[in-house]
Amino acid sequence: MSLEALNERVATDLSYLAYGGPNWVRPRSHSEGHVYDVVIVGGGQSGLSIAFALLRERVSNILVIDENPEGYEGPWETYARMMTLRTPKHLTSVDLGIPSLTFRSWWEAQHGVEGWAKVDKIPRGDWMNYLRWYRKTLELPVVNEVKLRLIEPTEEHIHRLHVEGIGAISDTLLARKVILATGIQGGGEWHVPEMISENLPMTLYAHTSARIDFEALKGKKIAVLGGGASAFDNANFALAEGAGEVHVFVRRKELPRINPIRQMEGSGMIERFAALEDRDKYEVMAHFFKHNQPPTNDTFERAASWPGFRMHLGAPWLAVEKAGDQAIVTTPQGKHSFDFLIISTGLLTDPAYRPELKLVEQHIARWGDRYEAPAEVASPVLDAHPYLSPGFAFTSRSEEGEKLLHGLFTFSYSALISFGVSASALSGMRFGVPKVASSVAEQLFLDDRETILEDYFTYKEQEFIGALPQRV
């Protein structure tokens, strides 16, 4: 099968499902211009699949915006540096149950069934190419190089989105519903310890989420802080690009070996997580955070095979300072000097870190507002996550904020405590995406309840036009 034949198969499959039916949502008018029923912020895998799910719900007055150039949405061609995805290849995600839309179908159309059998894990670049095909084939309404700066709630449950970028045709967009499908960093900010940020110039370090000039690091001595999967991805990438030495520093005495996601994938934990009580949700995610995500075996083996690879266990950084053009790192084992530091310390989630939420974040309820965790598992990191509705909507700390937050949803790492990995891992998307799309569609329906019911009760169009036979 060719890609052209697969495209035809997708079209046929969708036609059998009556995809693309008439939009049922009542249009809204506004003096400032067009009002979208839904604007999705983020055109990566989450934003694209949510757009597809909404179109399947016959909600078609939608727009997806992304700050990156076309084809470079999400992390895959920017800061992701693993060779392959960490997710098992057989798990489905953005296809939303349509076999012809799966990565496997796309791969076999080019490489055959035998080619699929040879795949161990999905190559990162091929995953991005698949997403490009997915967007084009489904003709999803994405506008690139448009960055959301601020969400401004207005009257009548309409949000004014202040945007910028060369793709923006105006400074503002109007939307009844806004879905923040902004990925890993979309719920907070990448975290660099103050010990580093306050003592070193940015020429001597970068977070793994940043664009790093690895060409300039050829032959250099580099330190990586962190023992999770991303740390080893970056170590391997740097060595492959010609770094002289890469030292990975791990505060634990042993590397994490257990990946809780693998257990969750087969146990019902991902798809049914939202049904748990708050106590269970909190304890599950506290356990999840405790383990961290270990590197895949192939990534670790590739990194460890380089002559310049070094690993330091039980070696937290106690101090960092600048000495000439070097960064000096102090650990319990002594001092080390490096040409550059790569910081793999993850992110912190809190709506207060998000500039686009500046006008409303003080109203957003956090887990710390709604649940008092037992002392043995309590964590300020978990408490700062937003406490979401059953449909991924922000909830309010008080009645005052309810109107301002109405229509605002998040499908990012913000949802981790409320929904598990449904919005933060490929293995959860097939469960989370239909839920958020259905929730948005239901809120649109209830917002227009009076009009919809009035139309129903006043409906007079006759369907039966037969006449009774005349009896003589």
Side-chain angles (χ1 to χ4, degrees), residues 444-458:
L444 286 166
F445 178 83
L446 292 176
D447 287 351
D448 293 341
R449 169 186 167 275
E450 291 185 9
T451 302
I452 291 171
L453 292 180
E454 181 181 359
D455 289 347
Y456 170 76
F457 288 122
T458 59

Side-chain angles (χ1 to χ4, degrees), residues 150-162 175 356-360 363 401 403-406 408:
L150 184 69
I151 298 174
E152 178 190 358
T154 70
E155 71 288 346
E156 298 177 355
H157 294 158
I158 291 176
H159 298 278
R160 183 182 293 112
L161 309 184
H162 297 263
E356 65 271 17
L357 294 174
K358 181 174 64 175
L359 299 180
V360 297
H363 299 291
K403 184 175 181 180
L404 297 174
L405 294 174
H406 185 79
L408 298 183

Side-chain angles (χ1 to χ4, degrees), residues 371-389:
Y371 177 69
E372 185 176 350
E376 60 269 21
V377 295
S379 164
V381 173
L382 271 64
D383 290 342
H385 284 69
Y387 187 96
L388 302 179
S389 78

Side-chain angles (χ1 to χ4, degrees), residues 24 37-38 50 54 59 177-179 391 407 409 435-445:
W24 57 266
D37 292 323
V38 186
I50 291 171
L54 285 169
V59 178
K177 311 298 172 191
V178 181
I179 306 174
F409 298 77
K435 186 185 294 286
V436 68
S438 176
S439 178
V440 170
E442 186 171 284
Q443 195 176 96
L444 286 166
F445 178 83

Side-chain angles (χ1 to χ4, degrees), residues 221-227 231-232 245-256 300 308-317 329-338:
K221 185 179 178 183
I222 301 168
V224 178
L225 175 60
F232 287 90
E245 291 183 18
V246 176
H247 295 241
V248 176
F249 288 84
V250 184
R251 60 179 173 82
R252 308 180 192 208
K253 294 182 179 180
E254 293 185 6
L255 282 177
F300 177 80
F309 177 81
R310 305 285 188 276
M311 187 167 66
H312 305 261
L313 294 173
W317 289 6
V329 173
T330 301
T331 74
Q333 290 77 36
K335 292 182 180 290
H336 312 262
S337 62
F338 297 100

Side-chain angles (χ1 to χ4, degrees), residues 230-347:
S230 181
F232 287 90
D233 290 338
N234 279 267
N236 184 64
F237 193 92
L239 289 163
E241 293 294 306
E245 291 183 18
V246 176
H247 295 241
V248 176
F249 288 84
V250 184
R251 60 179 173 82
R252 308 180 192 208
K253 294 182 179 180
E254 293 185 6
L255 282 177
R257 295 182 179 274
I258 298 170
N259 186 348
I261 294 180
R262 296 291 88 86
Q263 192 279 338
M264 297 169 84
E265 287 165 346
S267 66
M269 184 78 79
I270 293 179
E271 54 265 50
R272 300 290 174 246
F273 185 90
L276 293 172
E277 296 180 356
D278 285 355
R279 178 190 61 188
D280 293 332
K281 290 180 180 179
Y282 197 98
E283 291 184 0
V284 167
M285 297 319 298
H287 181 78
F288 182 87
F289 274 54
K290 181 176 68 176
H291 276 286
N292 202 352
Q293 187 174 18
T296 59
N297 291 314
D298 54 334
T299 296
F300 177 80
E301 289 169 2
R302 277 193 295 268
S305 69
W306 293 97
F309 177 81
R310 305 285 188 276
M311 187 167 66
H312 305 261
L313 294 173
W317 289 6
L318 305 177
V320 176
E321 57 188 319
K322 182 178 182 296
D325 58 357
Q326 297 270 297
I328 309 301
V329 173
T330 301
T331 74
Q333 290 77 36
K335 292 182 180 290
H336 312 262
S337 62
F338 297 100
D339 298 305
F340 195 76
L341 311 180
I342 297 177
I343 313 304
S344 182
T345 47
L347 71 156

